[in-house]
């Protein structure tokens, strides 16, 4: 059943008007008809089944039944250095499917991608559309948020019970993910940081560690940035949110 996100909170029996893009998708792509059912996720991450009703030359959706919603128990914030084009889109899509709550793009010293201020709003809208489509596809009832890029200095202002720096030079024995997660069994919010294609420079790693980020190894191999992001989100999500 196709899922859509709507603004505001829904109640059983309520008639909901969908937005133009959603109606176009329903009418002209899926060619749905009156009586067909869709899934609606509302602003408080509740999930409902709704039935399409003819409304003038289009449809409205009547909320029929509430479904169990699966929102992550632990809020995972992925702070990832911006990487190029499609690989960034892929990172956003896969980490959304794997349970990230917020993606915070980072600008670090070795970032190849340099965004002009005039591009940031447009890019952020596009990234959030990728995340919304991934949420609809994997039936998340909570909407992943992708923020505008920030610096490490701005990032360290954010609070979390557990802050991880995925560091390619971390010690694979003494800085293992499982040992860290065992030492922090009951967290509600985690920030994990991933560097760009060129990695972190020494002073960035030292700066993050000085602000409470624990460096963690993702194994002996050097992973692509998007692979490292997918790997750490999947590890954290499956260990904390399962
Ligand atoms: N330029 C770096 C090098 O060749 O050593 C590689 C950087 S890697 C492409 C991008 C990011 O992925 C790293 O900054 C780190 O955050 C993460 N990463 C990759 N492999 C990792 C590993 N084995 N352990 C922890 N983090 C890793």
């Amino acid at each position: 059943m196709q899922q859509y996100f709507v603004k505001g909170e829904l109640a059983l029996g309520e008639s909901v008007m969908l937005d133009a893009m959603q109606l176009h998708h329903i009418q002209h792509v899926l060619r749905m008809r009156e009586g067909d059912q869709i899934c609606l996720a509302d602003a408080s991450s509740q999930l409902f089944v709704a039935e399409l009703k003819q409304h003038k030359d289009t449809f409205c959706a009547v909320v029929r039944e509430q479904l169990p919603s699966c929102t992550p128990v632990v809020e995972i914030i992925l702070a990832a250095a911006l990487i190029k084009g499609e690989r960034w889109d892929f990172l956003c899509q896969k980490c959304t499917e794997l349970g990230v709550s917020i993606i915070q793009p980072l600008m670090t010293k070795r970032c190849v991608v340099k965004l002009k201020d005039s591009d940031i709003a447009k890019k952020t809208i596009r990234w959030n559309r990728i995340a919304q489509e991934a949420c609809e596809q994997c039936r998340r009832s909570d909407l992943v948020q992708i923020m505008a890029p920030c610096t490490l200095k701005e990032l360290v202002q954010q609070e979390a019970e557990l802050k991880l720096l995925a560091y390619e030079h971390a010690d694979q024995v003494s800085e293992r993910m499982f040992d860290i997660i065992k030492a922090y069994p009951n967290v509600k919010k985690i920030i994990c940081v991933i560097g760009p294609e060129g990695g972190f420079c020494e002073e960035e790693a030292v700066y993050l560690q000085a602000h409470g980020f624990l460096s963690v190894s993702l194994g002996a191999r050097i992973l692509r940035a998007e692979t490292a992001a997918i790997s750490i989100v999947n590890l954290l999500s499956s260990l904390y949110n399962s």
Side-chain angles (χ1 to χ4, degrees), residues 16-20 22-28 32-34 52-61:
V16 187
M17 280 315 291
L18 302 169
D19 70 28
Q22 292 167 337
L23 287 171
H24 172 80
H25 190 242
I26 283 169
Q27 284 178 287
H28 305 299
M32 295 180 95
R33 289 195 294 266
E34 182 169 34
L52 294 178
K53 278 270 174 253
Q54 198 65 39
H55 177 78
K56 299 185 185 124
D57 62 344
T58 181
F59 291 121
C60 69

Side-chain angles (χ1 to χ4, degrees), residues 73-230:
V73 172
V74 176
E75 186 186 18
I76 299 170
I77 297 170
L78 172 70
L82 271 172
I83 54 176
K84 279 187 225 140
E86 276 170 22
R87 291 169 53 202
W88 175 258
D89 297 353
F90 183 76
L91 178 154
C92 293
Q93 185 188 62
K94 296 310 159 202
C95 290
T96 295
E97 289 173 54
L98 290 168
V100 78
S101 296
I102 293 174
I103 295 177
Q104 171 60 68
L106 283 182
M107 292 173 298
T108 64
K109 278 204 172 49
R110 292 182 188 160
C111 262
V112 174
V113 176
K114 306 279 181 223
L115 290 184
K116 291 199 293 285
D117 286 352
S118 55
D119 289 343
I120 287 177
K122 195 174 57 181
K123 291 268 185 193
T124 310
I125 289 169
R126 182 172 170 281
W127 297 335
N128 279 282
R129 188 162 307 127
I130 292 169
Q132 179 165 327
E133 283 165 7
C135 286
E136 288 169 350
Q137 178 275 325
C138 69
R139 285 294 163 78
R140 286 185 67 149
S141 51
D142 60 317
L143 196 48
V144 169
Q145 254 195 304
I146 303 185
M147 316 306 283
C150 78
T151 61
L152 290 186
K153 204 162 176 214
E154 289 160 328
L155 176 72
V156 298
Q157 311 303 321
Q158 288 200 35
E159 288 301 317
E161 293 107 312
L162 181 55
K163 304 198 281 190
L164 298 174
L165 159 62
Y167 192 34
E168 56 274 31
H169 305 303
D171 182 289
Q172 297 159 49
V173 177
S174 64
E175 294 172 311
R176 282 178 358 132
M177 185 70 126
F178 291 101
D179 299 335
I180 291 178
I181 286 168
K182 261 196 320 233
Y184 292 82
N186 310 306
V187 291
K188 284 278 163 269
K189 185 174 169 186
I190 303 171
I191 301 179
C192 48
V193 180
I194 299 285
E197 296 92 337
F200 286 109
C201 57
E202 176 76 22
E203 76 215 63
E204 286 175 326
V206 169
Y207 178 78
L208 286 165
Q209 287 157 349
H211 286 82
F213 282 81
L214 305 176
S215 69
V216 64
S217 169
L218 294 176
R221 291 164 296 283
I222 295 291
L223 310 176
R224 279 181 176 272
E226 64 273 29
T227 313
I230 290 166

